[in-house]
Amino acid sequence: MRTHDDEMPKVKLPSLQDVMDADPAGSRVPDPVHGALPPPVRRIVLDQPPTVATPAAPQTRAAGAGAAPTPGHGGVRHAGEPGPERMRLDALSVFYDDKAAVKSVDLSIRQGEVLALIGPSGCGKTTLLRTLNRLTELTASARREGRIALDDTDIDELEVTTLRRRVAMVFQQPNPFPMSIFDNVAYALREQSMKRPGKAVIAPHVHDALQRAGLWDEVKDDLDRPALRLSGGQQQRLCIARAIATRPEVLLMDEPCSALDPKSTEVIESLILELRKDLAIVIVTHNLQQAYRVGDHVAFMYLGDLVEYGAAEQVFGAPRAQRTRDYVGGAFG
Amino acid sequence: MATQIHQGPPPLPPHGGFGDGPRGSRKRGGESLSTWRYGDRVAYAMCWFCGIALCVIAGAIVLYMAARGLQYLNFTLLSTHPEAGLDQKKTGGFLDPIIGTVLLTIIGIAIATPIAVATAVWIVEYGRPAWLARLVESGIEVVAGTPDIVIAIFGLALFQQSLFAPLSLTADGGAVFGRSFLTAGAMMSLIALPMVFSATREGLQSVPALVREASYGLGKTKIATIRRVLLPSVRPNISTGMALGMGRICGDTAIVIVLLGATLRLESEGGIPGFNVLKGTGSTLTSYVYNNSPAGEGNAPQKAYAAAFVLLLIVVALNFTVDLIARRGSKTGLETGRLGA
């Protein structure tokens, strides 16, 4: 993990490689306080009973389990088994003109877990997120360095349309298309340069996507209604349905709840926990409680640097870097 | 305004209310206009006056035309062909000009709409290089600002070239007549094009960037985004532009007189059914009104009034039809929805 040496406190973080592979012998700089990272812990259950049993913590992580809260305290829910690595960022930097917005970040995104990106405004977390499916390329002044791999393939080698179908995005503002609910999802399903499949072919897939986004029961009777007549929370779930309709491997969410009321936020958060089983989810959020609630891992960014990366419990409970401590404690941001 | 739910004393000082609308301040403390500055009072009065005055003027035109038109209008006028003659009782009706108006409008708008929409899409969505975009925009501004009579004589010069011979009558000596529904329609499209263009451009510009991003984020290309998302959502704008453009075409006289051949009746040309009408000449309600006004040869003001009223009805009907089509075809919900709510 890259750190800002001049401002860093004495504690040196283990590199990402160490965290992910967690080969204790190969640990270059063992964390003096915590050892390796504790397993990710889920704290809230929302409405549903836990769906995932306490995982057999990966051996390598068990070494650091001492720092983790004891499993089984009230309402604790453990993350699912971390799945295979989906995306990998190596020394990723993004520049707008000459200004670095993201500075040499290494990260790993795994299936079956939620990675929450937190940090003060302008720290580069949204830029980082948008780089993952090359949406930054829409900004003329943006330039990228470093490598991003999706399933070990450099994303530059993929057709950008393919990449964006595999790494889907949900935006900050609910942005359904000005068309019917059905067409919003169907549009995502109709593949580029393919013969447009008919409604009968596509309807089951639309149904499925809306079902998974938890919207089906609310809209099944009026799929022909304009999507813009839905409430804000429903619109955002429609956007999620649209994004997951193509069965992406990674779902990027850019502050998906910031425009929503608490109730809709709760619904979307439980949806995130539900979707996490099949997907790798990266969520950018300003809401620390939200990062705490939905994040399996949390990455704290500051001025373009990845300052701290770890299990949610660790980053919020026992942050290693001074700046993380300040931010989480509300000293700035 | 939220002011209506205020209870108790008004939050503003008695002479305050800066930036407050008259309605709000009146309801709050029973303030009268006398507390306003003179400039504000004049501006306020002007807004009311101009708004009402415009309604009155529009109403006066319609009512006057309706009164005069209905006075002379009868079914025979609508259903008989015009005849040349000195006796007004024998000069027939204006069926041909009505058909001519409709035909010319359809040709003009059919040519103008695709060009205007494509240009607007290019300007808003591509628009590179910037100098070319500026050039295109000023080109359209020039077209919009060119008087129709200038467009008409330019069209005549253009379509009399032998290249365009298939569009109109070619005389025995080989001279190209240059006047037909097709040539007039082509030039009419220039009248309508700026209307459709600016309406479409404004519509596209008002589609929030996040809608485009959403589409790109789903792995769609730019052109797919334009065709499947942007154009459907600006359909109401396009039809508004079309309605305005058709109104302009219906109402244009100069191009008709110069380029449509100014024959009273529809005169077909050539042997291909349907196409022969388009290749032929005719007149429209505007040229008919002109000819029958005291300024024209016919000098039958009664018929001019009747025809003018019919023209007005056609324009109003066009507007309503286009509006209806746009509203029925649109499932966007943009009008009542809350994008990014």
Side-chain angles (χ1 to χ4, degrees):
Chain A
M1 197 182 309
R2 305 288 163 134
T3 57
H4 229 209
D5 287 339
D6 48 335
E7 282 184 48
M8 279 303 292
K10 286 154 200 90
V11 180
K12 193 95 161 89
L13 297 177
S15 77
L16 178 72
Q17 201 59 49
D18 299 334
V19 175
M20 300 323 292
D21 301 340
D23 171 13
S27 235
R28 285 182 294 251
V29 193
D31 186 312
V33 184
H34 304 288
L37 290 171
V41 174
R42 182 149 320 280
R43 252 152 269 93
I44 60 141
V45 187
L46 295 167
D47 299 337
Q48 308 123 318
T51 49
V52 185
T54 307
Q59 279 196 338
T60 47
R61 290 189 178 192
T70 45
H73 72 67
V76 168
R77 186 155 73 125
H78 290 272
E81 186 88 41
E85 182 181 74
R86 280 298 179 199
M87 293 193 91
R88 173 164 207 90
L89 284 59
D90 287 316
L92 175 74
S93 299
V94 185
F95 303 87
Y96 291 117
D97 294 320
D98 288 331
K99 194 183 166 299
V102 175
K103 298 173 190 162
S104 193
V105 166
D106 297 335
L107 261 182
S108 174
I109 297 159
R110 286 172 181 275
Q111 181 166 338
E113 63 176 31
V114 178
L115 170 63
L117 293 175
I118 60 167
S121 299
C123 69
K125 50 193 193 308
T126 295
T127 299
L128 174 66
L129 194 75
R130 291 167 62 94
T131 313
L132 296 183
N133 68 353
R134 289 171 59 187
L135 270 180
T136 36
E137 288 174 12
L138 300 178
T139 313
S141 63
R143 184 166 53 83
R144 175 163 65 86
E145 280 176 11
R147 183 173 186 273
I148 303 175
L150 173 65
D151 288 336
D152 289 329
T153 314
D154 193 312
I155 61 168
D156 287 331
E157 289 164 18
L158 293 167
E159 196 74 46
V160 71
T161 52
T162 313
L163 171 71
R164 289 177 187 160
R165 291 172 76 84
R166 292 173 60 184
V167 182
M169 179 115 177
V170 174
F171 295 83
Q172 182 171 4
Q173 294 279 331
N175 53 357
F177 299 120
M179 41 175 103
S180 74
I181 296 169
F182 182 92
D183 287 341
N184 259 275
V185 183
Y187 176 71
L189 285 162
R190 292 186 171 124
E191 220 166 317
Q192 200 60 48
S193 75
M194 300 275 284
K195 192 170 172 291
R196 283 161 61 82
K199 201 165 175 166
V201 180
I202 228 163
H205 297 279
V206 172
H207 181 160
D208 175 62
L210 288 170
Q211 190 98 60
R212 280 189 290 147
L215 193 61
W216 176 253
D217 290 336
E218 292 161 59
V219 302
K220 63 181 176 218
D221 294 325
D222 37 21
L223 292 173
D224 284 336
R225 257 175 81 200
L228 291 174
R229 303 247 169 93
L230 294 173
S231 76
Q234 288 174 324
Q235 286 189 13
Q236 193 63 303
R237 274 181 287 148
L238 178 63
C239 292
I240 294 174
R242 202 171 64 181
I244 60 179
T246 55
R247 297 259 169 202
E249 291 138 76
V250 182
L251 183 62
L252 310 175
M253 306 181 101
D254 185 5
E255 299 186 46
C257 302
S258 66
L260 305 180
D261 60 278
K263 181 70 195 163
S264 304
T265 301
E266 196 183 307
V267 173
I268 296 221
E269 284 181 8
S270 56
L271 180 59
I272 291 172
L273 298 183
E274 197 59 35
L275 290 173
R276 156 183 81 120
K277 292 177 205 156
D278 315 316
L279 284 165
I281 296 179
V282 187
I283 179 171
V284 161
T285 179
H286 265 120
N287 181 334
L288 295 183
Q289 277 90 13
Q290 184 173 66
Y292 193 67
R293 286 193 298 261
V294 301
D296 296 304
H297 280 85
V298 172
F300 169 62
M301 291 184 71
Y302 184 63
L303 297 177
D305 290 302
L306 179 60
V307 176
E308 183 148 357
Y309 170 87
E313 184 72 9
Q314 176 262 312
V315 172
F316 287 110
R320 295 192 201 84
Q322 183 60 43
R323 278 175 304 173
T324 317
R325 222 167 291 149
D326 292 344
Y327 181 71
V328 171
F332 70 98
Chain B
M1 229 182 227
T3 51
Q4 288 171 353
I5 55 165
H6 272 302
Q7 301 273 326
L12 286 177
H15 295 288
F18 292 111
D20 232 295
R23 201 171 300 166
S25 33
R26 266 195 197 170
K27 284 208 171 151
R28 268 189 195 162
E31 276 183 78
S32 69
L33 284 176
S34 59
T35 59
W36 290 18
R37 287 184 299 178
Y38 281 106
D40 289 350
R41 280 191 241 179
V42 171
Y44 178 58
M46 280 296 286
C47 292
W48 273 92
F49 175 77
C50 293
I52 292 169
L54 213 68
C55 287
V56 170
I57 292 170
I61 293 173
V62 173
L63 285 179
Y64 181 75
M65 291 315 298
R68 295 301 293 268
L70 288 172
Q71 193 179 339
Y72 304 117
L73 190 62
N74 56 52
F75 187 70
T76 322
L77 278 182
L78 291 175
S79 59
T80 53
H81 298 285
E83 308 275 352
L86 289 174
D87 184 356
Q88 286 306 321
K89 291 192 178 96
K90 290 181 184 163
T91 53
F94 41 82
L95 176 64
D96 290 48
I98 291 177
I99 298 172
T101 297
V102 173
L103 210 54
L104 197 58
T105 306
I106 292 173
I107 297 171
I109 205 70
I111 298 175
T113 305
I115 299 174
V117 169
T119 312
V121 164
W122 182 81
I123 290 266
V124 178
E125 301 301 320
Y126 297 95
R128 292 275 180 281
W131 61 264
L132 188 60
R134 273 199 300 276
L135 201 68
V136 171
E137 290 218 37
S138 18
I140 287 173
E141 274 162 30
V142 167
V143 170
T146 308
D148 49 357
I149 188 70
V150 177
I151 290 181
I153 56 168
F154 169 75
L156 192 59
L158 181 72
F159 290 118
Q160 281 180 337
Q161 305 303 312
S162 50
L163 177 66
F164 296 106
L167 298 181
S168 62
L169 165 81
T170 306
D172 291 339
V176 178
F177 191 44
R179 301 174 179 88
S180 72
F181 274 103
L182 290 174
T183 59
M187 286 295 119
M188 281 294 193
S189 71
L190 290 182
I191 302 267
L193 195 141
M195 303 278 168
V196 185
F197 168 80
S198 36
T200 311
R201 182 184 57 182
E202 269 157 40
L204 286 172
Q205 282 168 343
S206 69
V207 175
L210 47 90
V211 170
R212 292 180 179 81
E213 270 189 353
S215 182
Y216 301 147
L218 290 172
K220 298 293 176 174
T221 55
K222 195 161 188 167
I223 194 72
T225 305
I226 291 167
R227 287 186 54 202
R228 304 262 174 253
V229 179
L230 297 180
L231 285 183
S233 66
V234 299
R235 196 153 58 181
N237 301 74
I238 297 175
S239 13
T240 307
M242 284 173 71
L244 290 172
M246 288 194 282
R248 286 284 304 272
I249 297 178
C250 282
D252 197 87
T253 319
I255 293 176
V256 177
I257 287 174
V258 175
L259 271 175
L260 200 56
T263 50
L264 266 178
R265 289 192 177 192
L266 299 179
E267 303 287 347
S268 302
E269 171 59 37
I272 311 157
F275 186 73
N276 58 0
V277 177
L278 301 183
K279 200 177 164 183
T281 59
S283 60
T284 67
L285 284 168
T286 51
S287 67
Y288 185 84
V289 170
Y290 169 74
N291 277 326
N292 284 294
S293 73
E297 304 156 14
N299 196 9
Q302 297 89 339
K303 285 183 180 172
Y305 277 123
F309 178 61
V310 172
L311 179 59
L312 204 62
L313 284 186
I314 290 181
V315 173
V316 172
L318 270 179
N319 286 357
F320 273 109
T321 314
V322 167
D323 231 36
L324 205 70
I325 294 170
R327 216 168 291 167
R328 187 176 297 172
S330 133
K331 275 190 210 155
T332 64
L334 269 180
E335 320 81 40
T336 52
R338 32 193 174 157
L339 189 63

